Amino acid sequence: MGRVVHYVSHGTPIRPDGSQAFEPTCRAAIIAEAHDGTDVTLCVLNPSGIFFHWAAHDPDGQGGTWHWPERV
């Protein structure tokens, strides 16, 4: 707990033409609770505020999941 990770937002619903008003975006998050090896509760830091969200680990970064920050 307390580790910084990346949360990928869902984005807005997909429109009939296949576009989205807001695409999935990577956000900073802090692990607030670990449920097992990959499922966690996150405190997600958004420009408009924070929220808590349960998320599964996905290294490919699908919407609604978390992953470790990329090494630079």
Side-chain angles (χ1 to χ4, degrees):
M1 291 184 287
R3 299 280 306 268
V4 175
V5 297
H6 287 177
Y7 169 74
V8 182
S9 66
H10 287 280
T12 54
I14 297 174
R15 298 173 179 156
D17 67 359
S19 67
Q20 287 178 282
F22 297 99
E23 295 187 6
T25 303
C26 198
R27 301 283 186 206
I30 300 169
I31 297 176
E33 181 180 34
H35 300 288
D36 63 29
T38 60
D39 295 342
V40 298
T41 299
L42 298 173
C43 176
V44 181
L45 309 175
N46 270 319
S48 59
I50 64 171
F51 69 94
F52 292 89
H53 183 72
W54 175 90
H57 179 257
D58 180 7
D60 295 326
Q62 297 294 316
T65 64
W66 71 273
H67 59 274
W68 295 108
E70 295 79 9
R71 296 206 181 253
V72 187

